[in-house]
Amino acid sequence: MATLSQTYEHCKNPWKKHCDSEDIEVYIYYKNKQVPICKKCWSKIVEKDIEW
């Protein structure tokens, strides 16, 4: 029986280097790259006064 190989994308929050969550909420552009951000990190980012 053949199985499909799935690759999971994890959070790549530039302000939190070690997040392995796969619950991606949004993608942002940071340093000219599209970066996946998980739900938990995104809720923290929107509360901060930061630019990317």
Side-chain angles (χ1 to χ4, degrees), residues 1-51:
M1 179 176 191
T3 60
L4 295 176
S5 175
Q6 294 181 345
T7 57
Y8 293 100
E9 191 168 38
H10 67 89
C11 182
K12 295 182 181 171
N13 182 350
W15 299 282
K16 181 181 178 187
K17 298 294 182 190
H18 301 289
C19 182
D20 293 326
S21 175
E22 296 173 351
D23 185 20
I24 303 303
E25 178 79 6
V26 296
Y27 290 83
I28 63 170
Y29 278 95
Y30 181 77
K31 295 187 178 182
N32 296 322
K33 293 183 180 179
Q34 188 174 349
V35 179
I37 306 293
C38 74
K39 191 175 219 175
K40 185 176 180 180
C41 286
W42 181 243
S43 67
K44 292 179 182 180
I45 290 171
V46 297
E47 297 295 321
K48 296 181 179 183
D49 184 25
I50 55 177
E51 292 184 31

